[in-house]
Amino acid sequence: MHWNDDQGINPYQKLSEYERATRVDRMIRDVGRYLPAVFDAKYVDSLFEIKTVLVKNEGDDGRPILFEKHPELPGCYSVLGGKIDNIYDVLEKLETESFSSY
């Protein structure tokens, strides 16, 4: 499911109306190639969450960092990152930005 973030759209309302069909069988087969013990796992429930992605990455699993510097507010940045390891890239980018402002 996807939508563009427009004014007045409540993403959690959209999520609550989602059919929530599980794909656990596909995930178990995929993981089982590397961890065969997962084939003995018992399915209990699926978790569904909202993931924000850039429009250009709607068709793939790419989740690059959106990093914007606010020219009117020195030292203020907006960061949108979709993966937990993005923090390392953000720290590197901030370090680069701090050196370029001297």
Side-chain angles (χ1 to χ4, degrees):
M1 167 187 221
H2 74 277
W3 66 89
N4 289 335
D5 187 28
D6 293 322
Q7 191 75 21
I9 292 179
N10 180 338
Y12 293 99
Q13 178 68 35
K14 285 226 174 248
L15 182 62
S16 71
E17 296 166 358
Y18 182 61
E19 182 183 332
R20 299 180 184 231
T22 185
R23 293 186 176 88
V24 68
D25 56 329
R26 297 175 193 172
M27 289 185 257
I28 287 176
R29 280 195 314 266
D30 192 32
V31 172
R33 296 181 299 158
Y34 306 101
L35 298 169
V38 80
F39 291 122
D40 297 326
K42 177 185 172 200
Y43 171 73
V44 176
D45 197 9
S46 294
L47 300 175
F48 293 83
E49 188 53 70
I50 296 165
K51 175 176 75 171
T52 303
V53 297
L54 299 173
V55 173
K56 71 178 187 174
N57 294 103
E58 186 66 38
D60 60 30
D61 193 36
R63 286 177 268 165
I65 297 171
L66 174 64
F67 188 96
E68 291 182 350
K69 184 177 183 178
H70 294 274
E72 65 279 355
L73 294 170
C76 182
Y77 305 91
S78 291
V79 178
L80 170 66
K83 294 186 177 181
I84 191 79
D85 62 346
N86 285 161
I87 189 64
Y88 301 110
D89 299 324
V90 170
L91 292 173
E92 188 175 298
K93 178 69 174 170
L94 285 170
E95 190 173 293
T96 303
E97 286 293 320
S98 68
F99 287 125
S100 65
S101 61
Y102 291 114

